[in-house]
Amino acid sequence: MKIGVLALQGDVREHVQMLQALQVGSVLVTLPEHLGGIDGLIIPGGESTTIGLLMARYGLDKAVISRHKQGMGIFGTCAGAILLAKDILGSSQPRLGIMDISVARNDYGRQADSFEAAIKDHRLELPGKPLKAAFIRAPVIKKISDGCKVVAKLGNSPVLVRQHRLLTSTFHPELVGETRVHKYFLGMLR
Ligand code: GLN
């Protein structure tokens, strides 16, 4: 199995290291031709407006959507979650718009309001062990459609959601050494 990490902007290296730790090969994706031969794509956190603009500039938006239609899975974290969402409240920024969720950007507040959490309400392996999660100017998922499955929740908000071969987290597992979310994504692709 080979996983691409979209490497236009954001915390690319941490995802590559996470994949290495799970003994999965990775490819840095900066151009459409890098999407050939990968089973899944990770869209890292960063600035969703910047990543969205760069994706459009390099033709990666259309290429990613077309590879996804052929079966490529996608895991978007934080800014990646925003880029997957069909609806971004109050924004017309460029996006992939392929997941039936509605998100509000920066809805926990500013940079200074970023926080780490131990998420107890999750359906990943080791149910008794809370998920470690870093929320950095994170979005909040306000609405999901019936086809989406909530895999983890913080308070009343879903923070990890799956729809078929799409996975989205509003938090960063890769910054706090939490491997179970990446493992779950790899499991979705098998
Ligand atoms: N606030 C960023 C955005 O709206 C996302 C932050 C992140 O990816 N950690 O794009």
Side-chain angles (χ1 to χ4, degrees):
M1 170 146 25
K2 212 182 249 178
I3 303 296
V5 180
L6 186 69
L8 299 174
Q9 193 257 339
D11 72 325
V12 175
R13 193 178 14 155
E14 286 78 0
H15 285 285
V16 171
Q17 285 167 350
M18 184 64 83
L19 293 167
Q20 273 165 357
L22 296 172
Q23 295 177 330
V24 174
S26 58
V27 183
L28 296 182
V29 172
T30 54
L31 292 169
E33 46 264 44
H34 301 152
L35 295 168
I38 58 172
D39 305 286
L41 177 71
I42 294 178
I43 305 180
E47 186 54 46
S48 59
T49 46
T50 306
I51 300 174
L53 280 170
L54 291 172
M55 283 187 96
R57 180 173 305 169
Y58 297 118
L60 271 164
D61 48 355
K62 291 191 182 79
V64 166
I65 291 169
S66 123
R67 285 284 288 118
H68 173 63
K69 283 185 183 148
Q70 298 162 358
M72 181 186 76
I74 308 177
F75 172 27
T77 59
C78 205
I82 296 166
L83 288 160
L84 285 176
K86 278 199 176 143
D87 182 43
I88 307 170
L89 294 176
S91 171
S92 58
Q93 68 192 78
R95 71 199 69 174
L96 297 169
I98 50 178
M99 193 165 179
D100 289 320
I101 59 172
S102 175
V103 300
R105 292 179 64 198
N106 305 324
D107 209 44
Y108 291 104
R110 304 165 67 93
Q111 186 75 26
D113 301 312
S114 297
F115 60 98
E116 283 187 26
I119 300 171
K120 294 199 184 96
D121 191 353
H122 71 81
R123 299 197 200 181
L124 299 179
E125 58 178 319
L126 309 175
K129 189 179 170 207
L131 280 184
K132 288 184 279 179
F135 289 82
I136 302 172
R137 291 204 306 126
V140 173
I141 298 173
K142 296 289 186 183
K143 245 199 292 182
I144 61 173
S145 79
D146 291 344
C148 295
K149 174 179 163 181
V150 177
V151 188
K153 233 171 154 181
L154 184 66
N156 289 324
S157 302
V159 292
L160 180 61
V161 174
R162 173 181 182 175
Q163 184 176 25
H164 307 300
R165 288 165 87 76
L166 298 173
L167 182 69
T168 192
S169 72
T170 59
F171 59 90
H172 295 269
E174 75 288 356
L175 295 181
V176 286
E178 175 56 75
T179 53
R180 284 172 288 173
V181 184
H182 287 70
K183 270 197 207 165
Y184 180 84
F185 177 57
L186 298 174
M188 282 167 48
L189 307 176
R190 287 202 174 99

